[in-house]
Amino acid sequence: MEIRKNICVWLFEKSTIPYARLFKRGKTPWRLSKKDLLRFPKGTLGNALGTFLNHNNFELIPKLERHDAYHVITNYGTEVENEIALQYFFFGNGKRSLYLYGVSTIGLILLPEYWRKYIASYSQGKRCKPIHKIDVEASLSLPLDQLQSIHLIH
């Protein structure tokens, strides 16, 4: 299974920048750094995102900044199976993208033992308000628990 997970990680790493270049051309990158996010008040999405990035030793990827915020809002981890499950969540939540289809399909093929997790994530996404429609950058100063209580159904 470790080899299959490593293949998924490699695919994620190799596809991120080309995806941003091809499909996020008109999108403006945030003008914020991890340090800027950590300056947001505690309890806000911005601070929680900065903490998440710090904890995982990540940096924001220009034009794809929202992705890590979605991890924070939904509480999905960054392990390979959770990255794939997050895509199933978004499929259930109404999001449609080539990347989502690709990750979901390849994830199911390479890591079929997590199919129950994927189905559960899809079902959870169906029960929630559309998270992918949140203006994440404009919401950075909002309390994280408020965003979660509005959009997530547990």
Side-chain angles (χ1 to χ4, degrees):
M1 177 168 39
E2 200 60 35
I3 291 171
R4 292 179 286 132
K5 284 187 177 187
N6 287 337
I7 291 169
C8 288
V9 170
W10 182 83
L11 288 169
F12 292 151
E13 290 172 353
K14 294 300 178 191
S15 64
T16 303
I17 300 304
Y19 175 76
R21 283 191 188 133
L22 287 171
F23 296 102
K24 303 294 181 176
R25 280 186 234 177
K27 195 161 174 25
T28 304
W30 294 1
R31 293 193 176 118
L32 295 169
S33 68
K34 184 174 16 179
K35 285 184 182 180
D36 295 329
L37 292 169
L38 289 167
R39 289 187 191 110
F40 277 85
K42 291 214 182 300
T44 62
L45 173 60
N47 184 269
L49 177 55
T51 302
F52 170 85
L53 294 169
N54 243 5
H55 176 78
N56 290 290
N57 200 26
F58 291 164
E59 294 295 333
L60 289 172
I61 300 171
K63 298 185 178 185
L64 300 175
E65 300 92 347
R66 294 168 24 154
H67 179 80
D68 288 322
Y70 293 146
H71 279 282
V72 172
I73 294 167
T74 61
N75 289 314
Y76 276 84
T78 59
E79 302 80 12
V80 172
E81 62 273 16
N82 285 317
E83 288 285 356
I84 296 164
L86 181 60
Q87 297 305 313
Y88 277 90
F89 173 93
F90 278 115
F91 187 64
N93 201 235
K95 183 177 181 182
R96 301 293 182 263
S97 75
L98 184 60
Y99 198 79
L100 178 147
Y101 294 134
V103 170
S104 300
T105 302
I106 291 168
L108 185 59
I109 291 167
L110 290 177
L111 298 171
E113 56 271 30
Y114 292 104
W115 71 271
R116 283 186 177 92
K117 181 179 191 69
Y118 304 153
I119 297 298
S121 295
Y122 172 83
S123 296
Q124 181 187 11
K126 281 194 80 65
R127 292 189 307 270
C128 295
K129 291 185 180 175
I131 291 171
H132 62 281
K133 292 186 178 181
I134 295 172
D135 183 343
V136 176
E137 188 176 12
S139 301
L140 292 172
S141 60
L142 296 177
L144 174 59
D145 60 353
Q146 177 186 346
L147 284 168
Q148 289 171 325
S149 68
I150 291 170
H151 291 281
L152 298 181
I153 297 172
H154 300 282

